[in-house]
Amino acid sequence: MSVFKGLIKLNTLVPKFILIRSLHCDTLDRQMRAVRFDSPGGPDILYVGNVPVPETKDGELLVKVYASAVNRADILQRQGKYAVPPGESNILGLEAAGVVEKVGPFCVSGWKEGDRIMALLGGGGNAEYVTVNEHLVMAVPPGMSFSVAASIPETWITAFQLLHFVGNVKEEDNVLVHAAGSGVGLAAVQLSKLASARVFATAGTDAKLSAASKFGAIHTFNYKEGPFAKGVLERSKGRGMDLILDPVGGQFWDQNSSVLATDGDWIFYGALGGVEVNGNLLGRLLAKRGSLKATTLRPRTLQYKAELVKRFSEKIVPLFANGVLKPVVDCEFPLGRIADAHRHMEGNRNTGKIVLVVRSEAEAQ
């Protein structure tokens, strides 16, 4: 009789075990398309291949991606010049927009399956699915497409961080935005104007400068046509710049240190123009009581980024819906043309963001 009871007990457990094991295997066996490369190099090494769909960890959401974007960090990672932070996906893509596919264990933020979201990522966005901590997710503004939403997280949050977390932009400040025709640059121009600062901008083409002017820059300078320092000082009536947002670095150090105002902040967040400095940089900073602050976003702690996303969601995201702020999308490429998207960025041909379309918007209807 005890053997019979044991068989009954085993029979009742087996279906449950098979069901649990089946669900677990289904998750592990699911494949998705993602941007891949096997060794560092140029755009030609990029391809779209199949990889497993990522599994959610505690406090994470699984997002069905409809659009992602290209950032300078993706170029550097592809070239082998930017190490992936520990624990992050080695798939390219620092932002994405899509639909919540699954809510992982111990999530407390109230996100639900089917919610339209945009996410700040440490990697993994250039794929059909991505996992993201629930605190790094924002609702897509009403009426906004996924392609436009995908242009916001990394770019606009970087600009917001530069101005309000690292810098302390104030009303009537003179703000110099370098690379003003880039995604971050155009976001910084708009956010500086929103803060009632006076915006000065540099870029390498008249088209980029025209875009910067359209969104709030009052004085613009084409750095390819000659030094900008003299014009900046003249148009600021000798005061100089209270805040400089610099993704260029070495190429501009001499002019930046010349135009920095007394007690000004120079924020260095990229090295498009190299990192070498040969000259009296420290002496100029000392004479002006200037601050040179270097910053990045991707390697920051989860706590820091969560607070940044929270404040950005509260203060800035509502202004996209009412048209006060406008994301600027330069062009869209399907995921399969990822190499062309990288070439477009490396050629400095974009004014605003380069978006990757992963799925048709119609699929979400």
PDB file of all heavy atoms in Angstrom, residues 310-341:
ATOM      1  N   LYS A 310      14.783  59.227 -12.476  1.00  0.00           N
ATOM      2  CA  LYS A 310      13.618  59.696 -11.715  1.00  0.00           C
ATOM      3  C   LYS A 310      13.421  61.200 -11.901  1.00  0.00           C
ATOM      4  O   LYS A 310      12.313  61.670 -12.203  1.00  0.00           O
ATOM      5  CB  LYS A 310      13.798  59.357 -10.239  1.00  0.00           C
ATOM      6  CG  LYS A 310      12.667  59.817  -9.320  1.00  0.00           C
ATOM      7  CD  LYS A 310      12.913  59.343  -7.888  1.00  0.00           C
ATOM      8  CE  LYS A 310      11.778  59.773  -6.964  1.00  0.00           C
ATOM      9  NZ  LYS A 310      11.772  61.238  -6.750  1.00  0.00           N
ATOM     10  N   ARG A 311      14.498  61.965 -11.726  1.00  0.00           N
ATOM     11  CA  ARG A 311      14.377  63.417 -11.852  1.00  0.00           C
ATOM     12  C   ARG A 311      14.097  63.833 -13.294  1.00  0.00           C
ATOM     13  O   ARG A 311      13.324  64.767 -13.547  1.00  0.00           O
ATOM     14  CB  ARG A 311      15.652  64.083 -11.333  1.00  0.00           C
ATOM     15  CG  ARG A 311      15.719  64.072  -9.818  1.00  0.00           C
ATOM     16  CD  ARG A 311      16.965  64.735  -9.278  1.00  0.00           C
ATOM     17  NE  ARG A 311      17.167  66.080  -9.801  1.00  0.00           N
ATOM     18  CZ  ARG A 311      18.238  66.827  -9.494  1.00  0.00           C
ATOM     19  NH1 ARG A 311      19.161  66.339  -8.675  1.00  0.00           N
ATOM     20  NH2 ARG A 311      18.376  68.029 -10.004  1.00  0.00           N
ATOM     21  N   PHE A 312      14.715  63.136 -14.239  1.00  0.00           N
ATOM     22  CA  PHE A 312      14.458  63.432 -15.646  1.00  0.00           C
ATOM     23  C   PHE A 312      12.998  63.142 -15.993  1.00  0.00           C
ATOM     24  O   PHE A 312      12.352  63.918 -16.707  1.00  0.00           O
ATOM     25  CB  PHE A 312      15.394  62.591 -16.521  1.00  0.00           C
ATOM     26  CG  PHE A 312      15.255  62.829 -18.000  1.00  0.00           C
ATOM     27  CD1 PHE A 312      15.883  63.907 -18.608  1.00  0.00           C
ATOM     28  CD2 PHE A 312      14.505  61.975 -18.788  1.00  0.00           C
ATOM     29  CE1 PHE A 312      15.760  64.130 -19.969  1.00  0.00           C
ATOM     30  CE2 PHE A 312      14.375  62.183 -20.147  1.00  0.00           C
ATOM     31  CZ  PHE A 312      15.003  63.265 -20.743  1.00  0.00           C
ATOM     32  N   SER A 313      12.472  62.033 -15.492  1.00  0.00           N
ATOM     33  CA  SER A 313      11.074  61.669 -15.755  1.00  0.00           C
ATOM     34  C   SER A 313      10.119  62.702 -15.199  1.00  0.00           C
ATOM     35  O   SER A 313       9.104  63.038 -15.819  1.00  0.00           O
ATOM     36  CB  SER A 313      10.765  60.295 -15.147  1.00  0.00           C
ATOM     37  OG  SER A 313      11.544  59.282 -15.739  1.00  0.00           O
ATOM     38  N   GLU A 314      10.435  63.223 -14.024  1.00  0.00           N
ATOM     39  CA  GLU A 314       9.547  64.184 -13.368  1.00  0.00           C
ATOM     40  C   GLU A 314       9.607  65.566 -14.015  1.00  0.00           C
ATOM     41  O   GLU A 314       8.569  66.215 -14.217  1.00  0.00           O
ATOM     42  CB  GLU A 314       9.927  64.298 -11.888  1.00  0.00           C
ATOM     43  CG  GLU A 314       9.651  63.042 -11.078  1.00  0.00           C
ATOM     44  CD  GLU A 314      10.248  63.103  -9.686  1.00  0.00           C
ATOM     45  OE1 GLU A 314      11.042  64.045  -9.400  1.00  0.00           O
ATOM     46  OE2 GLU A 314       9.937  62.215  -8.875  1.00  0.00           O
ATOM     47  N   LYS A 315      10.823  66.012 -14.335  1.00  0.00           N
ATOM     48  CA  LYS A 315      11.008  67.394 -14.760  1.00  0.00           C
ATOM     49  C   LYS A 315      10.993  67.597 -16.266  1.00  0.00           C
ATOM     50  O   LYS A 315      10.604  68.658 -16.761  1.00  0.00           O
ATOM     51  CB  LYS A 315      12.333  67.929 -14.192  1.00  0.00           C
ATOM     52  CG  LYS A 315      12.376  68.002 -12.679  1.00  0.00           C
ATOM     53  CD  LYS A 315      13.728  68.491 -12.194  1.00  0.00           C
ATOM     54  CE  LYS A 315      13.782  68.604 -10.680  1.00  0.00           C
ATOM     55  NZ  LYS A 315      12.842  69.626 -10.152  1.00  0.00           N
ATOM     56  N   ILE A 316      11.430  66.589 -17.028  1.00  0.00           N
ATOM     57  CA  ILE A 316      11.666  66.794 -18.454  1.00  0.00           C
ATOM     58  C   ILE A 316      10.698  66.032 -19.353  1.00  0.00           C
ATOM     59  O   ILE A 316      10.174  66.592 -20.329  1.00  0.00           O
ATOM     60  CB  ILE A 316      13.115  66.411 -18.820  1.00  0.00           C
ATOM     61  CG1 ILE A 316      14.109  67.223 -17.980  1.00  0.00           C
ATOM     62  CG2 ILE A 316      13.374  66.613 -20.302  1.00  0.00           C
ATOM     63  CD1 ILE A 316      13.981  68.724 -18.129  1.00  0.00           C
ATOM     64  N   VAL A 317      10.427  64.765 -19.046  1.00  0.00           N
ATOM     65  CA  VAL A 317       9.601  63.943 -19.943  1.00  0.00           C
ATOM     66  C   VAL A 317       8.247  64.588 -20.253  1.00  0.00           C
ATOM     67  O   VAL A 317       7.798  64.564 -21.413  1.00  0.00           O
ATOM     68  CB  VAL A 317       9.431  62.517 -19.378  1.00  0.00           C
ATOM     69  CG1 VAL A 317       8.382  61.726 -20.177  1.00  0.00           C
ATOM     70  CG2 VAL A 317      10.773  61.767 -19.410  1.00  0.00           C
ATOM     71  N   PRO A 318       7.555  65.194 -19.286  1.00  0.00           N
ATOM     72  CA  PRO A 318       6.265  65.827 -19.627  1.00  0.00           C
ATOM     73  C   PRO A 318       6.380  66.931 -20.677  1.00  0.00           C
ATOM     74  O   PRO A 318       5.401  67.232 -21.376  1.00  0.00           O
ATOM     75  CB  PRO A 318       5.788  66.395 -18.285  1.00  0.00           C
ATOM     76  CG  PRO A 318       6.460  65.554 -17.257  1.00  0.00           C
ATOM     77  CD  PRO A 318       7.806  65.244 -17.830  1.00  0.00           C
ATOM     78  N   LEU A 319       7.561  67.522 -20.815  1.00  0.00           N
ATOM     79  CA  LEU A 319       7.741  68.627 -21.755  1.00  0.00           C
ATOM     80  C   LEU A 319       7.883  68.158 -23.199  1.00  0.00           C
ATOM     81  O   LEU A 319       7.801  68.963 -24.125  1.00  0.00           O
ATOM     82  CB  LEU A 319       8.959  69.463 -21.355  1.00  0.00           C
ATOM     83  CG  LEU A 319       8.905  70.045 -19.941  1.00  0.00           C
ATOM     84  CD1 LEU A 319      10.166  70.850 -19.645  1.00  0.00           C
ATOM     85  CD2 LEU A 319       7.659  70.909 -19.764  1.00  0.00           C
ATOM     86  N   PHE A 320       8.071  66.848 -23.404  1.00  0.00           N
ATOM     87  CA  PHE A 320       8.042  66.312 -24.768  1.00  0.00           C
ATOM     88  C   PHE A 320       6.603  66.224 -25.277  1.00  0.00           C
ATOM     89  O   PHE A 320       6.326  66.504 -26.440  1.00  0.00           O
ATOM     90  CB  PHE A 320       8.686  64.922 -24.819  1.00  0.00           C
ATOM     91  CG  PHE A 320      10.151  64.907 -24.529  1.00  0.00           C
ATOM     92  CD1 PHE A 320      10.658  64.184 -23.468  1.00  0.00           C
ATOM     93  CD2 PHE A 320      11.042  65.614 -25.332  1.00  0.00           C
ATOM     94  CE1 PHE A 320      12.016  64.158 -23.199  1.00  0.00           C
ATOM     95  CE2 PHE A 320      12.408  65.599 -25.072  1.00  0.00           C
ATOM     96  CZ  PHE A 320      12.892  64.875 -23.999  1.00  0.00           C
ATOM     97  N   ALA A 321       5.700  65.843 -24.395  1.00  0.00           N
ATOM     98  CA  ALA A 321       4.299  65.679 -24.793  1.00  0.00           C
ATOM     99  C   ALA A 321       3.661  66.998 -25.190  1.00  0.00           C
ATOM    100  O   ALA A 321       2.832  67.049 -26.113  1.00  0.00           O
ATOM    101  CB  ALA A 321       3.512  65.018 -23.662  1.00  0.00           C
ATOM    102  N   ASN A 322       4.039  68.091 -24.519  1.00  0.00           N
ATOM    103  CA  ASN A 322       3.409  69.378 -24.837  1.00  0.00           C
ATOM    104  C   ASN A 322       4.196  70.198 -25.848  1.00  0.00           C
ATOM    105  O   ASN A 322       3.852  71.348 -26.128  1.00  0.00           O
ATOM    106  CB  ASN A 322       3.151  70.183 -23.559  1.00  0.00           C
ATOM    107  CG  ASN A 322       4.440  70.551 -22.832  1.00  0.00           C
ATOM    108  OD1 ASN A 322       5.519  70.521 -23.393  1.00  0.00           O
ATOM    109  ND2 ASN A 322       4.304  70.902 -21.553  1.00  0.00           N
ATOM    110  N   GLY A 323       5.290  69.624 -26.382  1.00  0.00           N
ATOM    111  CA  GLY A 323       6.015  70.285 -27.460  1.00  0.00           C
ATOM    112  C   GLY A 323       7.034  71.320 -27.045  1.00  0.00           C
ATOM    113  O   GLY A 323       7.664  71.946 -27.903  1.00  0.00           O
ATOM    114  N   VAL A 324       7.243  71.504 -25.738  1.00  0.00           N
ATOM    115  CA  VAL A 324       8.253  72.461 -25.286  1.00  0.00           C
ATOM    116  C   VAL A 324       9.650  71.990 -25.691  1.00  0.00           C
ATOM    117  O   VAL A 324      10.504  72.780 -26.095  1.00  0.00           O
ATOM    118  CB  VAL A 324       8.163  72.651 -23.755  1.00  0.00           C
ATOM    119  CG1 VAL A 324       9.340  73.472 -23.241  1.00  0.00           C
ATOM    120  CG2 VAL A 324       6.847  73.323 -23.394  1.00  0.00           C
ATOM    121  N   LEU A 325       9.882  70.684 -25.582  1.00  0.00           N
ATOM    122  CA  LEU A 325      11.147  70.077 -25.994  1.00  0.00           C
ATOM    123  C   LEU A 325      10.899  69.112 -27.153  1.00  0.00           C
ATOM    124  O   LEU A 325       9.872  68.430 -27.189  1.00  0.00           O
ATOM    125  CB  LEU A 325      11.780  69.328 -24.823  1.00  0.00           C
ATOM    126  CG  LEU A 325      12.152  70.183 -23.604  1.00  0.00           C
ATOM    127  CD1 LEU A 325      12.626  69.298 -22.460  1.00  0.00           C
ATOM    128  CD2 LEU A 325      13.208  71.221 -23.958  1.00  0.00           C
ATOM    129  N   LYS A 326      11.863  69.058 -28.080  1.00  0.00           N
ATOM    130  CA  LYS A 326      11.670  68.247 -29.288  1.00  0.00           C
ATOM    131  C   LYS A 326      12.891  67.385 -29.581  1.00  0.00           C
ATOM    132  O   LYS A 326      13.960  67.910 -29.915  1.00  0.00           O
ATOM    133  CB  LYS A 326      11.394  69.166 -30.483  1.00  0.00           C
ATOM    134  CG  LYS A 326      10.097  69.949 -30.358  1.00  0.00           C
ATOM    135  CD  LYS A 326       9.829  70.809 -31.579  1.00  0.00           C
ATOM    136  CE  LYS A 326       8.525  71.585 -31.440  1.00  0.00           C
ATOM    137  NZ  LYS A 326       8.241  72.450 -32.609  1.00  0.00           N
ATOM    138  N   PRO A 327      12.748  66.059 -29.457  1.00  0.00           N
ATOM    139  CA  PRO A 327      13.825  65.173 -29.883  1.00  0.00           C
ATOM    140  C   PRO A 327      14.061  65.340 -31.389  1.00  0.00           C
ATOM    141  O   PRO A 327      13.110  65.523 -32.155  1.00  0.00           O
ATOM    142  CB  PRO A 327      13.298  63.773 -29.569  1.00  0.00           C
ATOM    143  CG  PRO A 327      12.184  63.990 -28.594  1.00  0.00           C
ATOM    144  CD  PRO A 327      11.604  65.321 -28.919  1.00  0.00           C
ATOM    145  N   VAL A 328      15.305  65.294 -31.790  1.00  0.00           N
ATOM    146  CA  VAL A 328      15.649  65.488 -33.200  1.00  0.00           C
ATOM    147  C   VAL A 328      16.218  64.183 -33.750  1.00  0.00           C
ATOM    148  O   VAL A 328      17.290  63.736 -33.345  1.00  0.00           O
ATOM    149  CB  VAL A 328      16.681  66.621 -33.376  1.00  0.00           C
ATOM    150  CG1 VAL A 328      16.997  66.825 -34.856  1.00  0.00           C
ATOM    151  CG2 VAL A 328      16.161  67.912 -32.759  1.00  0.00           C
ATOM    152  N   VAL A 329      15.488  63.567 -34.669  1.00  0.00           N
ATOM    153  CA  VAL A 329      15.937  62.340 -35.326  1.00  0.00           C
ATOM    154  C   VAL A 329      16.483  62.693 -36.701  1.00  0.00           C
ATOM    155  O   VAL A 329      15.765  63.252 -37.528  1.00  0.00           O
ATOM    156  CB  VAL A 329      14.791  61.314 -35.443  1.00  0.00           C
ATOM    157  CG1 VAL A 329      15.243  60.097 -36.254  1.00  0.00           C
ATOM    158  CG2 VAL A 329      14.311  60.893 -34.057  1.00  0.00           C
ATOM    159  N   ASP A 330      17.734  62.385 -36.931  1.00  0.00           N
ATOM    160  CA  ASP A 330      18.360  62.665 -38.225  1.00  0.00           C
ATOM    161  C   ASP A 330      17.888  61.671 -39.282  1.00  0.00           C
ATOM    162  O   ASP A 330      17.515  62.058 -40.389  1.00  0.00           O
ATOM    163  CB  ASP A 330      19.879  62.591 -38.091  1.00  0.00           C
ATOM    164  CG  ASP A 330      20.596  62.778 -39.421  1.00  0.00           C
ATOM    165  OD1 ASP A 330      20.744  63.942 -39.845  1.00  0.00           O
ATOM    166  OD2 ASP A 330      20.996  61.762 -40.038  1.00  0.00           O
ATOM    167  N   CYS A 331      17.919  60.379 -38.941  1.00  0.00           N
ATOM    168  CA  CYS A 331      17.559  59.342 -39.923  1.00  0.00           C
ATOM    169  C   CYS A 331      17.290  58.037 -39.202  1.00  0.00           C
ATOM    170  O   CYS A 331      17.612  57.878 -38.016  1.00  0.00           O
ATOM    171  CB  CYS A 331      18.681  59.168 -40.946  1.00  0.00           C
ATOM    172  SG  CYS A 331      20.273  58.732 -40.203  1.00  0.00           S
ATOM    173  N   GLU A 332      16.685  57.113 -39.926  1.00  0.00           N
ATOM    174  CA  GLU A 332      16.399  55.779 -39.408  1.00  0.00           C
ATOM    175  C   GLU A 332      17.020  54.735 -40.329  1.00  0.00           C
ATOM    176  O   GLU A 332      16.990  54.874 -41.550  1.00  0.00           O
ATOM    177  CB  GLU A 332      14.891  55.541 -39.313  1.00  0.00           C
ATOM    178  CG  GLU A 332      14.162  56.497 -38.387  1.00  0.00           C
ATOM    179  CD  GLU A 332      12.663  56.238 -38.355  1.00  0.00           C
ATOM    180  OE1 GLU A 332      12.222  55.229 -38.956  1.00  0.00           O
ATOM    181  OE2 GLU A 332      11.933  57.041 -37.743  1.00  0.00           O
ATOM    182  N   PHE A 333      17.584  53.693 -39.716  1.00  0.00           N
ATOM    183  CA  PHE A 333      18.101  52.542 -40.446  1.00  0.00           C
ATOM    184  C   PHE A 333      17.463  51.283 -39.885  1.00  0.00           C
ATOM    185  O   PHE A 333      17.294  51.172 -38.659  1.00  0.00           O
ATOM    186  CB  PHE A 333      19.621  52.411 -40.275  1.00  0.00           C
ATOM    187  CG  PHE A 333      20.439  53.449 -40.983  1.00  0.00           C
ATOM    188  CD1 PHE A 333      20.778  54.632 -40.351  1.00  0.00           C
ATOM    189  CD2 PHE A 333      20.886  53.236 -42.280  1.00  0.00           C
ATOM    190  CE1 PHE A 333      21.541  55.604 -40.989  1.00  0.00           C
ATOM    191  CE2 PHE A 333      21.662  54.191 -42.935  1.00  0.00           C
ATOM    192  CZ  PHE A 333      21.984  55.369 -42.292  1.00  0.00           C
ATOM    193  N   PRO A 334      17.106  50.319 -40.739  1.00  0.00           N
ATOM    194  CA  PRO A 334      16.678  49.030 -40.192  1.00  0.00           C
ATOM    195  C   PRO A 334      17.855  48.352 -39.501  1.00  0.00           C
ATOM    196  O   PRO A 334      19.025  48.628 -39.820  1.00  0.00           O
ATOM    197  CB  PRO A 334      16.225  48.244 -41.434  1.00  0.00           C
ATOM    198  CG  PRO A 334      16.932  48.887 -42.576  1.00  0.00           C
ATOM    199  CD  PRO A 334      17.098  50.335 -42.217  1.00  0.00           C
ATOM    200  N   LEU A 335      17.571  47.480 -38.562  1.00  0.00           N
ATOM    201  CA  LEU A 335      18.625  46.825 -37.787  1.00  0.00           C
ATOM    202  C   LEU A 335      19.655  46.144 -38.688  1.00  0.00           C
ATOM    203  O   LEU A 335      20.857  46.169 -38.392  1.00  0.00           O
ATOM    204  CB  LEU A 335      18.008  45.796 -36.833  1.00  0.00           C
ATOM    205  CG  LEU A 335      18.941  45.184 -35.797  1.00  0.00           C
ATOM    206  CD1 LEU A 335      19.415  46.241 -34.813  1.00  0.00           C
ATOM    207  CD2 LEU A 335      18.240  44.042 -35.054  1.00  0.00           C
ATOM    208  N   GLY A 336      19.193  45.572 -39.801  1.00  0.00           N
ATOM    209  CA  GLY A 336      20.091  44.868 -40.709  1.00  0.00           C
ATOM    210  C   GLY A 336      21.109  45.766 -41.395  1.00  0.00           C
ATOM    211  O   GLY A 336      22.094  45.279 -41.963  1.00  0.00           O
ATOM    212  N   ARG A 337      20.898  47.087 -41.336  1.00  0.00           N
ATOM    213  CA  ARG A 337      21.845  48.031 -41.935  1.00  0.00           C
ATOM    214  C   ARG A 337      22.665  48.744 -40.854  1.00  0.00           C
ATOM    215  O   ARG A 337      23.014  49.897 -40.977  1.00  0.00           O
ATOM    216  CB  ARG A 337      21.101  49.044 -42.807  1.00  0.00           C
ATOM    217  CG  ARG A 337      20.498  48.468 -44.085  1.00  0.00           C
ATOM    218  CD  ARG A 337      19.850  49.567 -44.919  1.00  0.00           C
ATOM    219  NE  ARG A 337      20.818  50.601 -45.284  1.00  0.00           N
ATOM    220  CZ  ARG A 337      20.472  51.828 -45.705  1.00  0.00           C
ATOM    221  NH1 ARG A 337      19.176  52.158 -45.782  1.00  0.00           N
ATOM    222  NH2 ARG A 337      21.405  52.719 -46.022  1.00  0.00           N
ATOM    223  N   ILE A 338      22.974  48.013 -39.817  1.00  0.00           N
ATOM    224  CA  ILE A 338      23.717  48.585 -38.707  1.00  0.00           C
ATOM    225  C   ILE A 338      25.066  49.140 -39.158  1.00  0.00           C
ATOM    226  O   ILE A 338      25.512  50.185 -38.670  1.00  0.00           O
ATOM    227  CB  ILE A 338      23.901  47.532 -37.586  1.00  0.00           C
ATOM    228  CG1 ILE A 338      24.656  48.118 -36.387  1.00  0.00           C
ATOM    229  CG2 ILE A 338      24.584  46.276 -38.095  1.00  0.00           C
ATOM    230  CD1 ILE A 338      23.959  49.247 -35.696  1.00  0.00           C
ATOM    231  N   ALA A 339      25.721  48.485 -40.104  1.00  0.00           N
ATOM    232  CA  ALA A 339      27.019  48.977 -40.572  1.00  0.00           C
ATOM    233  C   ALA A 339      26.872  50.347 -41.231  1.00  0.00           C
ATOM    234  O   ALA A 339      27.705  51.242 -41.034  1.00  0.00           O
ATOM    235  CB  ALA A 339      27.644  47.978 -41.551  1.00  0.00           C
ATOM    236  N   ASP A 340      25.801  50.535 -42.008  1.00  0.00           N
ATOM    237  CA  ASP A 340      25.556  51.841 -42.638  1.00  0.00           C
ATOM    238  C   ASP A 340      25.279  52.909 -41.592  1.00  0.00           C
ATOM    239  O   ASP A 340      25.702  54.065 -41.739  1.00  0.00           O
ATOM    240  CB  ASP A 340      24.378  51.750 -43.610  1.00  0.00           C
ATOM    241  CG  ASP A 340      24.695  50.935 -44.848  1.00  0.00           C
ATOM    242  OD1 ASP A 340      25.892  50.864 -45.222  1.00  0.00           O
ATOM    243  OD2 ASP A 340      23.760  50.365 -45.445  1.00  0.00           O
ATOM    244  N   ALA A 341      24.580  52.529 -40.529  1.00  0.00           N
ATOM    245  CA  ALA A 341      24.295  53.486 -39.448  1.00  0.00           C
ATOM    246  C   ALA A 341      25.588  53.948 -38.783  1.00  0.00           C
ATOM    247  O   ALA A 341      25.764  55.132 -38.488  1.00  0.00           O
ATOM    248  CB  ALA A 341      23.360  52.848 -38.429  1.00  0.00           C
TER     249      ALA A 341
END
